[in-house]
Amino acid sequence: MNKLIASRIYTALGVSPGTRLALHEPSFKGTDALAYVTDCVSSGWVSSAGSLVNTFEKQLTDFTGAQFCVAVNNGTSALRLALHLVGVKPGDEVLLPSLTFVATANAISHLGAIPHFVDITTTDYGICPLLLDDYLSRTAWHRDSILINRSTGRPIKALVPVHVFGTPASIEQLHNLCTKWGLRMIEDAAEALGSLSGSTHCGLTGDVGCLSFNGNKLITTGGGGAIITNNSDIAQQARHLSSTAKLPHDWEFFHDQLAWNDRMPSINAALGVAQMEQIHSLLKHKRNIHKLYADSFVDVPGVSLLEEPKGTVSNYWLNTLILADPCTQTCIDKRDSLLTYAHNLGIQMRPAWTPLHLLPMYVNHPRSSLVNTVDAYTRLINIPSSPSLLQPG
Ligand SMILES: *Cc1c(COP(=O)(O)O)cnc(C)c1O
């Protein structure tokens, strides 16, 4: 089984056995990244005052269809700002999946709020609307139109769906639930640049969407993130609070509230601008890689490939194998034996993140039953998906 999977990966990508394969490496092939960085350095405009930040934001609004974009220093900051701007306060609970990168929960905790974990579907691996609705009707009630967790007595303020591996979550249904229960919705679209539900870009159904441009993401600025939104108040506040809440003035330093220093520097935006010029070809490569894997794994027993749900477009950021076995120790052993085998060959693969409710800082946090989450953790394996695999030069 391990040998077969490894050989099908080599075949799909058209590389000879033994080729080292990274999970996802940044590529600036065929871009003007060096020229933009050089311009930045020789002009001296390297900080967030440089014009490339505006250029990058304009590219992102053009590409996603968002009315507003604010580029920041990483995706975690984008999430934290977004949560703050929809009114999440210390002591509030925020609903999120447990199967996500730790940043989703950390951003909540950094505000003094409490991550509250809910279960996912076994199709898109995002928050399950049916389970959520049922869970809330058993767990929460409204007091003066504020949703309260019956067992902790704390307000539940917001929902943070995550589009994992670029696969759009059931976002319309989740949005309807937010309306029904009176929750704000912030989408963690860190992995989902170029992913759509219907014709809506991930991140634009809720109040705010958060993107990441970390080194392993589809587009990278070394480190970076952004808020996208159609809400002008949120956009304005995000800009203000990410730059120390300083009022514009030629010489006076006057800050009208406590704020952060989160803006993206221009030297980082230089990389993003260069990559955004190639975003359509980058996405085409990702889709091709997915197609090659789909063809290569079609007759391999015991595994399937994560596909975009009907009515959505995935950016196929990370291709994901799904082991067929139900969640048992045998399945975990199989998974780990495959991971070990692949790593010894130099094929970088990894399981889904350890569910956050199992991490030391989150073990005692409120949560629903997380059966699907734990099941997914034992069965999902990300496989090499670098767009550079198909890029000439
Ligand atoms: C990458 C990522 C983030 C945030 O990332 P930064 O490293 O802070 O840019 C948040 N959520 C998810 C799901 C991510 O994959």
Side-chain angles (χ1 to χ4, degrees):
M1 160 103 166
N2 294 347
K3 196 163 169 217
L4 180 62
I5 289 176
S7 92
R8 290 307 172 92
I9 289 176
Y10 292 135
T11 314
L13 301 175
V15 299
S16 46
T19 307
R20 297 191 76 77
L21 294 168
L23 189 67
H24 198 284
E25 50 190 8
S27 165
F28 298 97
K29 277 184 201 171
T31 73
D32 292 328
L34 217 48
Y36 283 117
V37 171
T38 305
D39 275 1
C40 229
V41 172
S42 49
S43 70
W45 287 100
V46 293
S47 78
S48 55
S51 65
L52 288 175
V53 182
N54 299 331
T55 310
F56 187 47
E57 288 172 346
K58 172 79 168 55
Q59 287 173 316
L60 288 167
T61 50
D62 287 350
F63 176 72
T64 60
Q67 285 183 47
F68 308 99
C69 173
V70 180
V72 293
N73 54 6
N74 58 56
T76 313
S77 301
L79 283 163
R80 192 240 301 123
L81 267 170
L83 289 156
H84 175 77
L85 290 174
V86 301
V88 170
K89 299 265 184 315
D92 288 342
E93 295 185 6
V94 176
L95 304 164
L96 77 163
S98 176
L99 196 83
T100 177
F101 179 54
V102 71
T104 321
N106 287 351
I108 297 166
S109 303
H110 288 155
L111 289 173
I114 292 111
H116 180 154
F117 301 107
V118 292
D119 212 1
I120 54 175
T121 74
T122 52
T123 48
D124 57 39
Y125 298 97
I127 293 176
C128 175
L130 292 176
L131 294 176
L132 177 67
D133 195 34
D134 177 59
Y135 178 65
L136 287 178
S137 48
R138 284 180 288 113
T139 315
W141 64 295
H142 278 101
R143 186 178 65 208
D144 305 331
S145 78
I146 294 170
L147 191 65
I148 303 286
N149 180 337
R150 283 178 201 279
S151 51
T152 62
R154 290 187 294 240
I156 305 178
K157 203 56 91 52
L159 178 79
V160 187
V162 181
H163 305 285
V164 282
F165 315 137
T167 313
S170 316
I171 207 67
E172 268 307 320
Q173 293 98 305
L174 291 171
H175 189 235
N176 291 341
L177 287 183
C178 285
T179 307
K180 171 178 170 183
W181 290 100
L183 295 166
R184 304 300 296 265
M185 186 163 93
I186 290 150
E187 294 176 62
D188 184 339
E191 306 177 354
L193 184 66
S195 298
L196 309 172
S197 282
S199 55
T200 305
H201 194 281
C202 283
L204 295 177
T205 303
D207 296 286
V208 199
C210 298
L211 304 174
S212 166
F213 306 105
N214 190 31
N216 61 346
K217 299 285 157 64
L218 181 70
I219 291 263
T220 184
T221 55
I227 275 175
I228 51 175
T229 183
N230 291 325
N231 180 320
S232 66
D233 281 350
I234 288 183
Q236 241 170 28
Q237 281 298 308
R239 209 170 280 281
H240 191 52
L241 292 186
S242 60
S243 42
T244 68
K246 181 182 178 296
L247 300 186
H249 193 280
D250 283 345
W251 58 83
E252 184 92 11
F253 276 78
F254 188 86
H255 310 262
D256 64 1
Q257 55 187 300
L258 176 62
W260 291 283
N261 178 16
D262 284 340
R263 284 289 270 160
M264 175 181 283
S266 209
I267 186 83
N268 295 86
L271 299 179
V273 168
Q275 288 206 314
M276 277 307 287
E277 289 174 349
Q278 312 277 334
I279 181 86
H280 294 288
S281 108
L282 211 52
L283 286 166
K284 216 170 68 200
H285 290 315
K286 301 296 283 184
R287 190 154 279 272
N288 281 343
I289 294 172
H290 176 76
K291 176 79 169 62
L292 293 167
Y293 275 140
D295 292 346
S296 184
F297 278 98
V298 71
D299 61 345
V300 178
V303 295
S304 56
L305 199 63
L306 178 56
E307 294 289 341
E308 62 196 1
K310 262 209 173 58
T312 74
V313 174
S314 172
N315 65 4
Y316 287 117
W317 171 56
L318 285 186
N319 283 285
T320 306
L321 288 179
I322 308 168
L323 302 178
D325 307 82
C327 170
T328 59
Q329 191 54 44
T330 322
C331 182
I332 297 177
D333 292 345
K334 266 194 197 167
R335 180 196 73 182
D336 291 349
S337 126
L338 172 61
L339 290 171
T340 310
Y341 183 84
H343 275 255
N344 289 337
L345 283 177
I347 304 177
Q348 207 183 11
M349 295 193 202
R350 67 172 192 213
W353 313 271
T354 303
L356 304 187
H357 71 283
L358 302 176
L359 302 181
M361 58 287 196
Y362 294 125
V363 278
N364 292 321
H365 276 53
R367 59 184 167 94
S368 70
S369 151
L370 296 171
V371 177
N372 293 343
T373 300
V374 172
D375 181 69
Y377 171 57
T378 63
R379 296 164 54 163
L380 300 184
I381 297 181
N382 297 134
I383 55 178
S385 302
S386 304
S388 56
L389 289 166
L390 299 188
Q391 284 174 310

